Amino acid sequence: MSAMEWEHLPEPNLTGRTVVMTGASDGLGREAALQLALWGADLVLPVRTRAKGEVVAQRIVRETGRRGAVRLTSLDLADLSSVRAGAEEIERLVGPSGFDLLIHVAGVVTRHREVSADGIEMMTAVNALAPLLLTETLLPLVRERVVVVASDAHTFGSIDLNDPHFRRGGWSLRAGYGRSKLTTMLWGRDLADRLRAEASGPDGSGVDLQLVHPGWVLTNLQNATGSERLDRLVTEVTRPIAMTARRGAASVLFAATQPLPPGSYIGPDGRGALRGRPTFLRRSADALDPDLAREVSDWARSEVGLPSTPQGADTRS
């Protein structure tokens, strides 16, 4: 486990486990997928660009020697109809017995205000609402855990349900990204509470949810200024504090494989949570607010065509 800098932890054995993970075509998602496969997991990878997914699949097969280690399916998080179709295909691939881990790594940063195929502000669509829809659709098939990559950017995010998609103005990269990640933290908290309450019942499944901040990682998400020259400058200036994608995957892998309290928030232990080894992180007061979490979760569910949280599932504490 020295490659992950977890010398004090045993190496996970995921033989016989099935993992569904978005975002495996690039960056830390690609590195996380490879490590999960090396630990024995079978992977189902929903990808937007099939050719990039094939490259990742070939690398995993080459490095693990397991030809059946990876199955690909098409899914575009910027289009809710594609998410629904992708979920149906995943259900066919895994069968009625389901799968063990659902991991959301895919994300986007936009240079200007853009909207998804459904008219939703793009970062909110891809980073928050599509993962919620995919999770809720596949949740009956999950046997063990849901892992959602959020971000400490949630600490500068704000919620405005009167204008959630910045249609009346106020959009900036910082504001849009922060809101998308705070929305993720809030629906994640609400679902984690719901799963915890369900697990304590007589028919509880024991499924939990973990939230992750990967830290500052050198991936293509940094290339969002709109200027190639400025993108290169940002990359070079931040390189001394940034982690490689391989090291950045550590917090995702830790959250996916280690015994943790339900609803934990995991990320690097270094200054500003920019780099380091996985540990428990603090979250903002807004991200901990159970009433705001319920309100935002119900709004998000309605945005993607799901009913509000089932009656009797009030898990506020």
Side-chain angles (χ1 to χ4, degrees), residues 24-25 30 33-34 37 43 45 47 49-73:
S25 296
R30 180 178 59 224
L34 173 60
L43 304 178
L45 305 180
V47 295
T49 306
R50 193 79 179 203
K52 292 175 69 175
E54 293 287 358
V55 171
V56 173
Q58 290 168 13
R59 179 192 177 197
I60 290 172
V61 170
R62 183 171 63 252
E63 297 200 24
T64 64
R66 295 190 296 125
R67 291 194 173 276
V70 187
R71 289 172 287 175
L72 300 177
T73 186

Side-chain angles (χ1 to χ4, degrees), residues 186 189 284-295 316-317:
L186 287 165
R189 187 236 150 95
S284 70
D286 280 348
L288 287 169
D289 185 331
D291 295 315
L292 183 60
R294 169 58 61 84
E295 183 180 15
R316 288 172 290 182
S317 58

Side-chain angles (χ1 to χ4, degrees), residues 87-263:
E88 291 179 0
E89 178 61 18
I90 291 168
E91 290 176 4
R92 287 193 291 270
L93 288 173
V94 301
S97 62
F99 58 99
D100 299 281
L101 297 169
L102 174 60
I103 306 177
H104 295 284
V105 178
V108 69
V109 176
T110 63
R111 297 165 178 160
H112 310 284
R113 183 184 179 274
E114 300 177 20
V115 296
S116 71
D118 306 278
I120 300 169
E121 191 276 326
M122 185 65 79
M123 288 189 283
T124 295
V126 172
N127 299 341
L129 299 190
L132 178 148
L133 176 59
L134 187 61
T135 297
E136 293 285 0
T137 304
L138 295 176
L139 195 57
L141 294 172
V142 179
R143 293 192 288 258
E144 186 174 330
R145 178 170 288 178
V146 178
V147 177
V148 182
V149 171
S151 171
D152 256 17
H154 83 271
T155 59
F156 55 72
S158 64
I159 300 297
D160 180 3
L161 295 185
N162 292 315
D163 186 24
H165 304 302
F166 300 94
R167 294 187 177 112
R168 293 198 293 268
W171 187 94
S172 67
L173 189 157
R174 179 182 172 88
Y177 191 67
R179 180 172 295 179
S180 75
K181 292 302 184 178
L182 179 55
T183 300
T184 300
M185 293 289 288
L186 287 165
W187 76 251
R189 187 236 150 95
D190 189 66
L191 180 54
D193 287 348
R194 194 176 100 210
L195 291 170
R196 183 164 49 237
E198 292 173 356
S200 65
D203 300 319
S205 66
V207 175
D208 67 18
L209 181 144
Q210 306 293 333
L211 291 158
V212 177
H213 166 58
W216 187 268
V217 183
L218 286 179
T219 68
N220 60 4
L221 287 185
Q222 275 79 44
N223 300 325
T225 68
S227 163
E228 290 185 9
R229 182 179 179 183
L230 187 53
D231 285 345
R232 288 196 299 270
L233 179 61
V234 170
T235 297
E236 290 307 313
V237 168
T238 60
R239 190 179 297 279
I241 63 170
M243 293 185 289
T244 65
R246 189 163 185 263
R247 290 195 66 199
S251 290
V252 176
L253 294 166
F254 186 90
T257 63
Q258 298 303 309
L260 296 168

